[in-house]
Amino acid sequence: MFKTFTLSRKTFSSFFSLIPVCLVAARQPQFSPKEVAAAMEVSESSVKRWCDNGTIPVIKTAGGHRRITLDALQAFVHANDRCLLKPELLGLPQLSPDRTTRIEGNEDPLNQNFRDSLAQGDEAACRKLMAQKIASGNTRSEAAESLITDAMHGFGEAWDCNELDVYQERRGCDIAMRLIYELRSEIPSPPKSAPIAIGGAPEGDPYQLPTMLVELALREVGWNATSLGNDLPMESFVQAAHDYDPQMVWMSVSSVSEPGMFVAAQNQLADSLGEDVPLLIGGRALCDKLRPRLRYTAHCDSLRHLVELAALMRLNRQK
């Protein structure tokens, strides 16, 4: 049997008083002229004038106040070539979802296509472009350095200019790492007689791609190379040198936060390796002011320079 419920007039009114609250929660955001003015960094009177002459469509509250919907605001911004300089004041994302971002860099069309594909997260397109670069006569490491390094520099500039979001940069790095791993897997395993090389990026250096590129390049010229990763304490470099007993150690230095501490730790590593194990260093953070304070066998100003030197060292070992 069903029970019959009878609502009093008071209960009935209370029940339906909840409906407007639900509808307000479901509708799109609305902003006052003052809020829009702050986000656009213009005067409130200008926004009110645009509202009153119909340039910005508005709705009126029961009290007669102007309210600008998100759709109306977006339509105004696009139609009048304006922008929200501080969208966060309206609780909106920093970047428009329909933006068209062109990542600047090498003018070669293949490089431009790779940068654009990486910014869009199109991994399949990036892989295809990498294959095209290799098919044109480049080694795997040359192709990877040309496309990935160029793209990452472009990403950094776009991020600084607020044209690229953090997630796009992180996603691009992940795709680039997967591409490098795939290229590395295509190289036959080195023979047991291959000389051993280890290396990485020091503590405080957040960049992993440069040392991965070094590993790839060294494996192409016959070294049994292993990248130890980034943000690596010098004591860990020393431990790895003890464990691997390498014939060469490299250090990729893209960022140095504490120069004094870095110099002391790097010199400690050089002393621990002794004179029989070459220490090759490189990276954009090794400026002319910092480099004379370091101890090393050779400074490589490019990946190609490192590869040529490593290939020569390997030939000398075979004699």
Side-chain angles (χ1 to χ4, degrees):
M1 294 181 64
F2 295 94
K3 292 184 178 180
T4 301
F5 291 91
T6 302
L7 295 177
S8 67
R9 178 174 297 179
K10 181 177 180 182
T11 305
F12 189 86
S13 300
S14 299
F15 175 77
F16 276 94
S17 68
L18 298 176
I19 293 180
V21 176
C22 298
L23 293 177
V24 169
R27 71 189 181 188
Q28 63 171 295
Q30 298 176 4
F31 312 107
S32 69
K34 182 177 181 180
E35 292 171 328
V36 171
M40 296 182 66
E41 292 193 344
V42 298
S43 67
E44 184 180 353
S45 60
S46 294
V47 177
K48 287 181 177 179
R49 184 176 67 253
W50 295 330
C51 292
D52 293 342
N53 65 23
T55 304
I56 302 180
V58 297
I59 59 176
K60 293 290 186 72
T61 67
H65 299 291
R66 308 173 187 85
R67 288 295 179 266
I68 302 168
T69 66
L70 178 59
D71 284 346
L73 179 59
Q74 289 179 331
F76 168 77
V77 167
H78 293 156
N80 295 273
D81 195 26
R82 292 182 175 273
C83 63
L84 297 176
L85 298 177
K86 295 182 177 180
E88 66 277 8
L89 296 181
L90 302 179
L92 300 177
Q94 287 279 343
L95 305 177
S96 170
D98 58 354
R99 65 191 179 278
T100 55
T101 301
R102 180 179 175 85
I103 308 299
E104 299 297 331
N106 190 313
E107 296 182 358
D108 185 299
L110 198 151
N111 283 75
Q112 182 66 63
N113 290 337
F114 185 85
R115 292 194 301 272
D116 292 344
S117 298
L118 199 61
Q120 296 162 10
D122 191 342
E123 185 169 343
C126 291
R127 185 174 291 106
K128 183 177 179 180
L129 292 164
M130 183 71 73
Q132 290 180 15
K133 189 74 172 179
I134 295 171
S136 67
N138 293 270
T139 65
R140 292 176 178 84
S141 59
E142 288 172 345
E145 181 191 27
S146 172
L147 296 179
I148 293 175
T149 303
D150 170 60
M152 288 299 104
H153 286 166
F155 271 42
E157 294 179 5
W159 188 8
D160 290 340
C161 296
N162 200 33
E163 297 172 349
L164 202 71
D165 194 78
V166 175
Y167 87 85
Q168 292 176 293
E169 189 270 344
R170 299 291 189 270
R171 182 183 63 190
C173 285
D174 285 345
I175 292 174
M177 285 192 288
R178 285 194 291 272
L179 293 177
I180 295 174
Y181 280 131
E182 290 172 8
L183 295 175
R184 181 184 181 279
S185 69
E186 296 171 1
I187 301 174
S189 298
K192 292 183 178 181
S193 59
I196 297 173
I198 62 171
E203 189 170 14
D205 189 332
Y207 299 101
Q208 189 171 359
L209 290 173
T211 186
M212 292 176 63
L213 287 172
V214 173
E215 180 193 63
L216 176 65
L218 291 178
R219 282 182 169 261
E220 278 195 308
V221 293
W223 284 78
N224 184 0
T226 300
S227 173
L228 305 173
N230 64 305
D231 196 16
L232 200 66
M234 287 299 173
E235 313 87 74
S236 195
F237 271 101
V238 174
Q239 182 63 55
H242 176 77
D243 295 342
Y244 277 88
D245 190 21
Q247 283 74 57
M248 181 177 70
V249 175
W250 80 81
M251 183 176 293
S252 172
V253 189
S254 300
S255 176
V256 174
S257 56
E258 298 288 342
M261 295 177 60
F262 169 73
V263 169
Q266 194 275 342
N267 288 342
Q268 180 183 357
L269 171 62
D271 291 342
S272 70
L273 295 176
E275 297 181 358
D276 295 332
V277 181
L279 174 59
L280 307 187
I281 64 172
R284 64 186 183 188
L286 298 179
C287 59
D288 293 339
K289 185 178 180 179
L290 181 62
R291 201 164 56 246
R293 301 167 60 188
L294 305 177
R295 299 174 192 169
Y296 54 87
T297 306
H299 168 254
C300 302
D301 54 15
S302 68
L303 185 61
R304 175 172 293 185
H305 183 194
L306 183 145
V307 169
E308 292 173 350
L309 184 57
L312 181 61
M313 291 169 57
R314 183 171 180 272
L315 287 176
N316 289 337
R317 291 186 58 83
Q318 293 175 340
K319 292 180 179 180

